[in-house]
């Protein structure tokens, strides 16, 4: 993947006014502990991540609601589709199609650099 998306990192004092309603699961790349850096000015979490761009490998896959093979699929992904990864474990990656979502889990083995 040669074209890397760039995001503006918010500068100065960040503040949120009033209550913030968390987005429905899977809609935006926001979890209780982590969010996409592009959402730093609108969603408060403990950590923000710059995404690592990756692609779906040789077979179709899906972004899932939870890191389980039988979880609800949020969106179908085709080989070569771009995914922005925000968190990765040994088996699963949590990422999104962009800062506007959707966001979910994909098997790490379904990704290529």
């Amino acid at each position: 993947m040669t074209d890397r998306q760039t995001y503006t990192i918010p500068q100065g004092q960040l503040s949120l006014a009033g209550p913030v309603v968390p987005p429905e699961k899977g809609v935006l790349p926001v979890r209780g502990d982590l969010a996409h850096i592009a959402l730093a000015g609108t969603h408060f979490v403990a950590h923000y991540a710059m995404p690592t761009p990756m692609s779906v490998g040789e077979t179709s896959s899906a972004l899932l609601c939870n890191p389980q093979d039988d979880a609800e699929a949020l969106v179908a992904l085709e080989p070569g589709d771009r995914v922005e990864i925000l968190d990765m474990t040994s088996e699963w990656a949590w990422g999104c199609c962009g800062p506007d979502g959707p966001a979910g889990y994909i098997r790490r083995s379904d990704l290529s650099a």
Side-chain angles (χ1 to χ4, degrees), residues 30-49:
V30 176
R31 296 190 315 204
D33 64 332
L34 183 66
H36 194 292
I37 188 66
L39 302 177
T42 57
H43 292 81
F44 181 72
V45 295
H47 304 281
Y48 299 94

Side-chain angles (χ1 to χ4, degrees), residues 87-106:
D87 188 23
M88 196 173 294
T89 67
S90 60
E91 293 183 44
W92 293 94
W94 181 69
C96 58
C97 295
D100 295 328
Y105 295 87
I106 184 170

Side-chain angles (χ1 to χ4, degrees), residues 1 31 42 54 56 63 80 100 102 113:
M1 182 171 284
R31 296 190 315 204
T42 57
M54 297 188 84
V56 175
L63 282 180
D100 295 328

Side-chain angles (χ1 to χ4, degrees), residues 5-112:
Q5 178 70 35
T6 58
Y7 294 101
T8 303
I9 298 173
Q11 301 295 312
Q13 180 72 32
L14 294 178
S15 63
L16 297 174
V20 176
V21 178
E24 189 174 320
K25 189 173 188 175
V27 175
L28 291 175
V30 176
R31 296 190 315 204
D33 64 332
L34 183 66
H36 194 292
I37 188 66
L39 302 177
T42 57
H43 292 81
F44 181 72
V45 295
H47 304 281
Y48 299 94
M50 288 293 287
T52 300
M54 297 188 84
S55 296
V56 175
E58 297 179 11
T59 60
S60 299
S61 189
L63 282 180
L64 305 172
C65 274
N66 297 301
Q68 301 166 327
D69 290 320
D70 61 350
E72 176 188 350
L74 299 167
V75 64
L77 299 169
E78 296 301 319
D81 282 353
R82 180 183 165 164
V83 182
E84 295 185 358
I85 301 302
L86 300 165
D87 188 23
M88 196 173 294
T89 67
S90 60
E91 293 183 44
W92 293 94
W94 181 69
C96 58
C97 295
D100 295 328
Y105 295 87
I106 184 170
R107 276 210 167 274
R108 189 172 176 175
S109 59
D110 290 349
L111 297 169
S112 67

